[in-house]
Amino acid sequence: QESLPAGYVVRPLARSDNQVRSNSSFLKTLEVLTTVGTISDEAFQRRFQYLKEHSDQYYTIVIEDMNVPPTSAGSATSSSPSLVTPGRGKIVAAGTVLAERKFIHELGMVGHIEDIAVSADQQGKKLGLRIIETLKAIGQQVGCYKVILDCSEKNVPFYEKCGFERKGVEMGWYV
Ligand code: ACO
């Protein structure tokens, strides 16, 4: 297994990861995927709470670079200190595996990997690979008989390096 760069850690997403005014926000990391939009801290907390109440289904992990303190406008002087956690690093990658409960395969479970994101300036350091390895291990540990994902043609070589193979065809219907 690839080791992470020194000072980088993998951990579950935390309630305090919505540091909207620092550059270490989880949501900012997701912007390499698509539009994230404006999400209030209250709305973030509500969604986080939902995930927590379904913690046997949603496993969202992040990689944090502890070498870089967040460059928040208010590290020492903030009027909202709750948004800033001193000593915390910067989130540089994220991903989720969702454990879907089925009837087939004797009430089997399938892991769905979603929203894999590595910050643009951190790509190519095997962080994506580490996120996928960790999500595969979680899927296996919780009892999934397979772990699947949808991706663009461009990302096929990356997922092949992560041990996935082409299966079926992805289809979508957009509302
Ligand atoms: N083409 C060919 N090989 C690639 C590519 C690529 N596009 N991307 C990565 N690889 C290879 C690397 O060279 C490396 O190979 P090596 O072990 O032989 O050196 C291996 O795959 C692992 O690469 P990482 O360094 O772990 O890749 P990275 O950390 O950059 O993460 C990722 C890859 C997640 C695709 C990242 O570039 C990213 O966030 N891109 C933008 C968002 C995105 O497309 N996310 C995936 C959406 S699909 C989904 O979420 C299910």
Side-chain angles (χ1 to χ4, degrees):
Q1 204 187 40
E2 289 290 336
S3 57
L4 286 171
Y8 285 56
V9 294
V10 185
R11 61 165 176 80
L13 180 69
R15 195 181 294 286
S16 57
D17 284 331
N18 188 37
Q19 299 182 343
V20 287
R21 290 180 303 132
S22 79
N23 65 11
S24 72
S25 162
F26 162 69
L27 294 177
K28 206 173 167 89
T29 304
L30 296 183
E31 282 175 4
V32 295
L33 283 163
T34 187
T35 311
V36 175
T38 310
I39 298 171
S40 68
D41 187 53
E42 191 197 357
F44 176 87
Q45 296 302 332
R46 266 202 308 276
R47 178 54 48 88
F48 182 88
Q49 189 58 30
Y50 180 90
L51 266 54
K52 209 173 164 57
E53 284 163 9
H54 299 81
S55 60
D56 59 348
Q57 278 177 64
Y58 287 93
Y59 301 88
T60 297
I61 59 166
V62 297
I63 295 179
E64 181 172 10
D65 175 4
M66 302 303 289
N67 303 303
V68 187
T71 58
S72 166
S75 28
T77 56
S78 173
S79 55
S80 303
S82 63
L83 287 174
V84 177
T85 309
R88 219 172 237 283
K90 178 177 177 175
I91 291 177
V92 292
T96 294
V97 63
L98 178 59
E100 176 211 354
R101 267 77 177 164
K102 288 192 171 291
F103 283 101
I104 60 169
H105 292 297
E106 295 182 271
L107 305 181
M109 277 201 284
V110 171
H112 297 267
I113 285 185
E114 289 286 338
D115 296 350
I116 304 305
V118 176
S119 301
D121 64 343
Q122 299 276 334
Q123 291 176 8
K125 295 182 178 180
K126 308 282 169 79
L127 303 183
L129 182 63
R130 174 51 77 88
I131 289 275
I132 297 299
E133 279 176 351
T134 307
L135 296 177
K136 282 165 67 182
I138 292 169
Q140 190 171 19
Q141 277 162 27
V142 304
C144 295
Y145 68 90
K146 67 174 178 181
V147 175
I148 59 176
L149 60 87
D150 292 329
C151 72
S152 63
E153 198 61 40
K154 174 168 124 347
N155 284 329
V156 167
F158 166 71
Y159 287 113
E160 284 177 340
K161 291 255 161 86
C162 294
F164 286 77
E165 53 187 91
R166 280 182 196 269
K167 279 276 177 187
V169 176
E170 174 190 346
M171 297 180 74
W173 180 77
Y174 288 76
V175 179

